[in-house]
Short mmCIF file of all heavy atoms in Angstrom, two decimals:
data_model
loop_
_atom_site.label_atom_id
_atom_site.label_comp_id
_atom_site.label_asym_id
_atom_site.label_seq_id
_atom_site.Cartn_x
_atom_site.Cartn_y
_atom_site.Cartn_z
N LYS G 31 4.07 -6.13 22.67
CA LYS G 31 3.39 -5.89 23.93
C LYS G 31 4.31 -6.11 25.12
O LYS G 31 5.15 -7.01 25.13
CB LYS G 31 2.16 -6.80 24.03
CG LYS G 31 1.10 -6.48 22.98
CD LYS G 31 -0.14 -7.32 23.14
CE LYS G 31 -1.19 -6.94 22.09
NZ LYS G 31 -2.44 -7.71 22.22
N MET G 32 4.11 -5.26 26.13
CA MET G 32 4.87 -5.32 27.36
C MET G 32 3.91 -5.39 28.54
O MET G 32 2.69 -5.27 28.37
CB MET G 32 5.79 -4.09 27.49
CG MET G 32 6.82 -3.97 26.40
SD MET G 32 7.87 -2.53 26.63
CE MET G 32 8.69 -2.93 28.19
N LEU G 33 4.47 -5.53 29.74
CA LEU G 33 3.69 -5.56 30.98
C LEU G 33 2.59 -6.62 30.88
O LEU G 33 1.39 -6.31 30.94
CB LEU G 33 3.09 -4.18 31.28
CG LEU G 33 4.11 -3.04 31.45
CD1 LEU G 33 3.38 -1.73 31.69
CD2 LEU G 33 5.06 -3.34 32.60
N ALA G 34 3.04 -7.88 30.69
CA ALA G 34 2.13 -9.02 30.61
C ALA G 34 1.11 -8.88 29.48
O ALA G 34 -0.02 -9.36 29.56
CB ALA G 34 1.41 -9.23 31.94
N GLY G 35 1.53 -8.20 28.42
CA GLY G 35 0.66 -8.05 27.27
C GLY G 35 -0.37 -6.95 27.38
O GLY G 35 -1.23 -6.82 26.50
N LEU G 36 -0.28 -6.14 28.42
CA LEU G 36 -1.29 -5.09 28.63
C LEU G 36 -1.03 -3.84 27.80
O LEU G 36 -1.97 -3.12 27.44
CB LEU G 36 -1.35 -4.72 30.12
CG LEU G 36 -1.77 -5.85 31.07
CD1 LEU G 36 -1.70 -5.37 32.51
CD2 LEU G 36 -3.19 -6.32 30.73
N ILE G 37 0.25 -3.56 27.51
CA ILE G 37 0.61 -2.34 26.79
C ILE G 37 1.28 -2.72 25.48
O ILE G 37 2.29 -3.42 25.46
CB ILE G 37 1.57 -1.46 27.63
CG1 ILE G 37 0.94 -1.12 28.99
CG2 ILE G 37 1.92 -0.20 26.86
CD1 ILE G 37 -0.31 -0.27 28.88
N ASP G 38 0.73 -2.23 24.37
CA ASP G 38 1.31 -2.48 23.06
C ASP G 38 2.10 -1.24 22.65
O ASP G 38 1.53 -0.21 22.30
CB ASP G 38 0.20 -2.77 22.03
CG ASP G 38 0.75 -3.08 20.65
OD1 ASP G 38 1.98 -3.27 20.53
OD2 ASP G 38 -0.04 -3.12 19.69
N ILE G 39 3.45 -1.34 22.70
CA ILE G 39 4.27 -0.19 22.32
C ILE G 39 4.67 -0.26 20.84
O ILE G 39 5.21 0.71 20.30
CB ILE G 39 5.53 -0.08 23.20
CG1 ILE G 39 6.44 -1.30 23.01
CG2 ILE G 39 5.15 0.10 24.66
CD1 ILE G 39 7.78 -1.16 23.70
N GLY G 40 4.40 -1.41 20.19
CA GLY G 40 4.65 -1.52 18.76
C GLY G 40 6.13 -1.60 18.40
O GLY G 40 7.02 -1.30 19.20
N SER G 41 6.39 -2.02 17.18
CA SER G 41 7.74 -1.99 16.62
C SER G 41 7.60 -1.90 15.10
O SER G 41 6.48 -1.85 14.58
CB SER G 41 8.54 -3.21 17.03
OG SER G 41 9.91 -3.05 16.70
N HIS G 42 8.74 -1.90 14.40
CA HIS G 42 8.64 -1.73 12.95
C HIS G 42 9.83 -2.32 12.21
O HIS G 42 10.87 -2.63 12.80
CB HIS G 42 8.49 -0.24 12.59
CG HIS G 42 9.74 0.58 12.73
ND1 HIS G 42 9.98 1.69 11.95
CD2 HIS G 42 10.80 0.48 13.57
CE1 HIS G 42 11.14 2.22 12.29
NE2 HIS G 42 11.65 1.52 13.27
N MET G 43 9.65 -2.48 10.91
CA MET G 43 10.68 -2.94 10.00
C MET G 43 10.56 -2.13 8.71
O MET G 43 9.46 -1.77 8.30
CB MET G 43 10.50 -4.43 9.70
CG MET G 43 11.46 -5.00 8.69
SD MET G 43 11.26 -6.81 8.48
CE MET G 43 9.82 -6.87 7.43
N SER G 44 11.70 -1.86 8.09
CA SER G 44 11.68 -1.15 6.81
C SER G 44 12.34 -1.99 5.73
O SER G 44 13.25 -2.78 6.01
CB SER G 44 12.40 0.20 6.92
OG SER G 44 11.71 1.08 7.79
#
Side-chain angles (χ1 to χ4, degrees):
K31 295 184 178 182
M32 298 181 63
L33 301 178
L36 297 176
I37 303 295
D38 182 11
I39 64 172
S41 191
H42 74 150
M43 176 176 79
S44 294

